[in-house]
Amino acid sequence: MSPQATPIADTAQDLELSERLLAPDGSRVPNPRLDPFVVDVDAAQLRALHRDMVVLRRIDAEGVALQRQGQLGLWAPCQGQEATQIGTARALDPRDFVFPSYRETGVIYARGAQPGDYVRMWRGEEGAAYDPAALGVAPLQIIIGAQTLHAVGYALGIQYEKAAEVAVTYFGDGATSQGDVNEAMIFAASYQAPVVFVCQNNHWAISEPVAVQSQYPIAGRAPGFGIPSLRVDGNDVLACLAAMRWALDHARSGRGPAYIEAVTYRMGPHTTADDPTRYRDDAELEAWRRRDPIARLEAYLRRVGEFDDDHVADTQAAADAVAKEMRAACLGMVTRPPLAVFDGVYAEAHTGLERQRDEYAAYLASFESEV
């Protein structure tokens, strides 16, 4: 299932080299590799995937708005990557454990995140983000690629306990140039750990295009470590679901790690601190708008007569409700006093901690004296 070693000439060719089940115009594409993994998927399930993607896009838009309004310190948009995140996450078993990067809003949504869970970390509040045990998702990882090592370590624990779980880790194309990702793959392959690597190739590692750091498809690297890989159209939610089912089946059956490269596109900025107009061509952005993952699934559902006004209304109402609850949760958060950061560090306070508290208090007071 590994990709052919064909050089990447441009983003259009890059996408055509990927496995898919739904073409950009919504037509169904037979695929002997992926078809066996979605034979059970009916129209109701496809409408549910469509609903998930619409809700996720609304959550993402609300996150950007909250940051622009000063309620969040930062936000990492995922517009355009809805199919990759929803398709792969909906294939997971509740017992599986996920190790995400900082952009996997759709993954935590699919795992049952509550409204406040989307914003707590980006607001800098106590509690980081969410309860990892409740969602089966480790805290969002800011350090590029570090979560891949955590996932392999967890997978080795699964292997030791002879459990039926799988560890799953998500990362971007830029992270594949980090040593942590390659070291994680070495360990996973050496010990045949039950872990799935999901690379969301969204074409831009901040301002660095993927064609600069990888002259060939990223999924082609995995076989060099002894890990089977599959390169899939990341804007095709059905193909992403099938690819993850393949990878999970491989890992869960004791055959070791698997690797997915989902070829998608980051429509927005890297984060809300980024200005993509400084490095990205408008024509490229427009080309990817025509491959929108939500529009693609909608087009397919219309072709087969399974998309109606009731579904549109229900989906929009669900998206608006989640965004409203997310905003209310964000605005209702009570930020602890700055000095509370020292509370609970040790069971008993000591002189060093007290000195640090006093220094920080003086630092904060210096701003008041300037007013």
Side-chain angles (χ1 to χ4, degrees):
M1 287 192 174
S2 302
Q4 297 296 316
T6 304
I8 300 171
D10 53 44
T11 56
Q13 180 188 3
D14 196 18
L15 187 62
E16 293 305 320
L17 292 170
S18 308
E19 303 280 353
R20 64 165 56 128
L21 290 170
L22 298 177
D25 65 357
S27 58
R28 182 70 162 83
V29 180
N31 187 306
R33 292 180 176 177
L34 298 180
D35 281 331
F37 294 97
V38 290
V39 291
D40 64 309
V41 179
D42 57 19
Q45 289 172 286
L46 289 173
R47 283 194 298 271
L49 291 171
H50 178 267
R51 177 185 182 277
D52 283 342
M53 290 194 290
V54 172
V55 171
L56 172 57
R57 184 163 292 185
R58 185 69 178 84
I59 290 171
D60 189 55
E62 193 66 26
V64 172
L66 286 166
Q67 192 281 328
R68 298 308 192 203
Q69 294 160 11
Q71 296 298 327
L72 303 178
L74 195 70
W75 183 262
C78 62
Q79 182 186 358
Q81 298 179 223
E82 294 89 355
T84 295
Q85 295 194 15
I86 294 299
T88 57
R90 284 304 187 195
L92 297 172
D93 190 280
R95 59 192 164 175
D96 298 329
F97 205 90
V98 179
F99 293 83
S101 73
Y102 46 81
R103 202 181 302 278
E104 273 70 69
T105 307
V107 176
I108 66 171
Y109 161 77
R111 299 292 279 180
Q114 297 303 303
D117 295 341
Y118 303 114
V119 296
R120 193 171 292 108
M121 183 187 80
W122 301 114
R123 191 176 166 91
E125 300 294 356
E126 182 181 13
Y130 43 78
D131 180 355
L135 297 189
V137 183
L140 301 180
Q141 178 58 257
I142 296 295
I143 301 173
I144 306 299
Q147 70 277 9
T148 59
L149 289 170
H150 306 159
V152 174
Y154 191 93
L156 292 174
I158 293 172
Q159 191 177 58
Y160 178 79
E161 294 179 352
K162 294 181 172 56
E165 306 167 46
V166 173
V168 178
T169 182
Y170 290 81
F171 49 95
D173 48 287
T176 62
S177 294
Q178 293 280 24
D180 283 2
V181 175
N182 292 276
E183 291 158 13
M185 292 170 68
I186 290 171
F187 264 83
S190 296
Y191 294 98
Q192 291 295 282
V195 58
V196 173
F197 296 92
V198 182
C199 172
Q200 292 188 84
N201 177 0
N202 66 16
H203 283 80
W204 289 97
I206 307 184
S207 59
E208 192 74 19
V210 67
V212 171
Q213 70 165 354
S214 183
Q215 298 298 307
Y216 292 86
I218 293 173
R221 300 179 186 180
F225 292 92
I227 301 174
S229 67
L230 180 59
R231 193 169 203 257
V232 66
D233 184 339
N235 283 16
D236 176 355
V237 69
L238 189 59
C240 290
L241 177 71
M244 185 56 111
R245 284 180 169 182
W246 161 76
L248 290 169
D249 177 70
H250 181 91
R252 208 184 308 280
S253 62
R255 289 176 284 168
Y259 190 107
I260 298 170
E261 178 194 356
V263 182
T264 181
Y265 195 79
R266 165 170 58 81
M267 297 298 294
H270 177 71
T271 70
T272 46
D274 172 42
D275 178 9
T277 63
R278 297 176 62 186
Y279 56 81
R280 194 164 64 182
D281 185 81
D282 288 343
E284 179 181 304
L285 191 63
E286 184 58 35
W288 280 93
R289 282 200 180 96
R290 295 193 293 271
R291 303 182 181 113
D292 185 275
I294 298 176
R296 182 182 306 197
L297 181 55
E298 177 182 337
Y300 173 73
L301 287 169
R302 288 188 183 279
R303 279 174 177 266
V304 296
E306 294 290 349
F307 195 90
D308 56 31
D309 292 342
D310 288 341
H311 171 72
V312 173
D314 291 345
T315 297
Q316 190 58 55
D320 290 343
V322 171
K324 182 179 180 180
E325 293 170 3
M326 174 181 165
R327 173 170 287 272
C330 179
L331 300 182
M333 290 179 180
V334 178
T335 302
R336 292 197 306 169
L339 289 176
V341 71
F342 295 96
D343 297 344
V345 177
Y346 294 98
E348 296 181 10
H350 59 79
T351 55
L353 191 65
E354 290 298 329
R355 175 178 54 77
Q356 292 174 27
R357 182 194 295 269
D358 291 342
E359 291 175 352
Y360 189 44
Y363 170 74
L364 296 173
S366 69
F367 292 100
E368 297 176 4
S369 63
E370 293 175 1
V371 177

